[in-house]
Amino acid sequence: MLSNTLYRLKTDKKLRIGYFGGSITEGAGAEDREKNCWRAISRDWFKSEYPDAEITEIYAAIGGTGTGLAVFRAERDLIKYEPDLIFIEYAVNDEGNDFDDIAKNTEGLFRKLRRELPYADLVLVLTTSGEINRMHEEGKEFPAATAQLTAAHRYGGEVIDPGAALHYACVASGENYEEGFTADGLHPNNRGYRIMADCVIANLKLLLDTEVPSAPVPYTVTVPPVYEGETEYADTIPVDELENVENDGFVMGESAENDVLPLIYSSNKPDASISFDFDGSLFGIYWTTARANTDILLSIDGEEPNQVGSWDRFVRSFQRFNAALIRRDLAPGHHRATVKVLDCDDAFVGFSGIFVLNK
């Protein structure tokens, strides 16, 4: 039940809703993302159902990203705004990734949210795609959903499955899912989003059908993590907070694509390099990905450099931020990283932060 949410609505008359997910939470495929997607429709439902309450949306969705990035950006993109109710949607974008990685990242995310926001209600939202629908038709498991559900159940999160509602609508109509319910073969069209939103709202009505508590009740985590190397302590360090920077050919400027981390180090010069210090047992880069991006050479502590690519096959005419988790095997403690640009051919490298795991 969403008892704390109900308290905020009925007693405080204020509710901050966090939407944490990928492009389906952004509203990709909808004619108007601020009117027709499941996020917008559910937000507006709260406003009409509880007209005396001040409803605030915390928009924290980034297309093409899964829990592997979410667990690192949760602090800066979501937690600092202190949401009371959080929808978590990464099922489609996690599909195809390693099962244990999905489960570990989702567990880390839930544990982080429970630790930092003990009064927030958490709702896992499961979505679908044509491929996932075919899995269901063939009686196959949807591994990403299974991995995420394990964490949700262990840490007291509610679950809403609008992906199943879309699947049932597809079966009932006899239509091809991609043609009838999506705008581009993946993202729902207005019809698809309406089905998703109706499912979310119907479940919200059930979850809010409870007595208003006398005070919000905190969630406490009493169980140990299932996975070692607790990703709940994952964090992002923005470029303007990097330590002991030595720069040869990178330029710091403003990023038009990232409101949360507005500064970016970028270069389109072959052999440009930048070095900096960090602490942690994991290293990754939060960078722009696009079809035009070039590769980098990354070296940690003077070791033989590894070539890492930021090319994104799903991006044709724009660029977006994404995660590259490059080293998971570092000894805890202090390290130095060097990023070097390869031959560019009018391409570029740009990053707004690094990822670390420091505990």
Side-chain angles (χ1 to χ4, degrees):
M1 306 303 286
L2 300 180
S3 299
N4 287 351
T5 295
L6 189 62
Y7 179 89
R8 301 300 183 195
L9 290 165
K10 292 289 192 177
T11 305
D12 287 350
K13 305 294 186 182
K14 292 182 179 181
L15 182 71
R16 297 177 296 260
I17 309 173
Y19 290 93
F20 203 41
S23 56
I24 293 177
T25 297
E26 285 182 325
E31 290 181 8
D32 186 333
R33 294 188 180 195
E34 293 310 309
K35 290 182 179 180
N36 305 124
C37 76
W38 78 269
R39 169 184 52 81
I41 296 171
S42 64
R43 175 202 64 210
D44 291 345
W45 175 82
F46 275 107
K47 292 181 178 181
S48 62
E49 191 74 7
Y50 301 93
D52 295 334
E54 177 185 338
I55 306 299
T56 301
E57 176 188 21
I58 300 167
Y59 179 89
I62 299 178
T65 67
T67 52
L69 175 57
V71 72
F72 286 91
R73 69 182 185 90
E75 192 75 39
R76 296 174 185 272
D77 289 15
L78 183 68
I79 292 172
K80 75 175 184 180
Y81 299 107
E82 299 182 337
D84 306 302
L85 171 64
I86 302 172
F87 293 101
I88 301 166
E89 178 273 311
Y90 289 106
V92 167
N93 287 349
D94 267 354
E95 184 54 32
N97 295 334
D98 180 80
F99 182 93
D100 285 338
D101 283 346
I102 300 169
K104 181 176 181 178
N105 291 330
T106 309
E107 177 179 65
L109 178 59
F110 269 81
R111 289 179 67 90
K112 180 193 290 284
L113 294 174
R114 285 291 184 231
R115 186 183 73 246
E116 299 289 339
L117 300 168
Y119 293 96
D121 286 325
L122 308 182
V123 179
L124 180 67
V125 178
L126 300 178
T127 46
T128 194
S129 66
E131 182 59 33
I132 294 167
N133 273 356
R134 285 184 280 275
M135 289 182 191
H136 291 316
E137 292 168 3
E138 296 170 5
K140 295 180 179 179
E141 182 184 29
F142 176 12
T146 302
Q148 293 182 2
L149 283 167
T150 300
H153 293 323
R154 185 174 178 84
Y155 299 105
E158 301 291 348
V159 179
I160 298 178
D161 193 352
L166 276 172
H167 174 64
Y168 296 146
C170 179
V171 172
S173 69
E175 297 176 67
N176 176 275
Y177 176 74
E178 286 94 336
E179 294 178 359
F181 298 89
T182 77
D184 54 11
L186 174 61
H187 302 100
N189 54 21
N190 282 11
R191 178 190 184 193
Y193 275 124
R194 183 72 251 183
I195 293 169
M196 289 185 65
D198 287 346
C199 173
V200 170
I201 291 168
N203 277 270
L204 286 173
K205 289 179 178 179
L206 293 174
L207 292 169
L208 291 166
D209 185 16
T210 186
E211 293 185 7
V212 181
S214 58
V217 179
Y219 292 90
T220 57
V221 175
T222 59
V223 295
V226 175
Y227 289 85
E228 296 180 2
E230 300 155 272
T231 54
E232 66 177 292
Y233 296 99
D235 197 10
T236 304
I237 300 174
V239 290
D240 56 328
E241 295 179 16
L242 296 176
E243 298 180 349
N244 298 324
V245 176
E246 294 183 4
N247 181 13
D248 181 13
F250 276 80
V251 176
M252 183 183 289
E254 294 185 356
S255 171
E257 289 79 26
N258 194 334
D259 293 333
V260 178
L261 298 177
L263 297 178
I264 184 171
Y265 266 130
S266 62
S267 179
N268 61 359
K269 299 179 180 179
D271 298 324
S273 66
I274 186 169
S275 300
F276 45 83
D277 293 347
F278 69 95
D279 291 289
S281 59
L282 177 150
F283 178 84
I285 294 180
Y286 191 18
W287 60 3
T288 59
T289 57
R291 282 187 175 268
N293 282 23
T294 189
D295 290 0
I296 64 167
L297 289 176
L298 174 72
S299 175
I300 304 291
D301 298 331
E303 296 177 354
E304 187 72 21
N306 293 322
Q307 185 168 335
V308 183
S310 59
W311 179 76
D312 188 337
R313 66 189 179 91
F314 294 106
V315 175
R316 293 179 172 84
S317 59
F318 62 97
Q319 62 192 40
R320 62 186 177 191
F321 274 82
N322 213 326
L325 301 181
I326 301 168
R327 291 291 299 274
R328 300 172 180 265
D329 57 346
L330 299 174
H334 193 72
H335 301 280
R336 187 163 182 81
T338 298
V339 173
K340 184 176 180 180
V341 180
L342 293 181
D343 189 11
C344 287
D345 291 333
D346 297 324
F348 74 103
V349 169
F351 68 102
S352 280
I354 65 169
F355 299 123
V356 296
L357 179 60
N358 194 6
K359 184 176 188 274

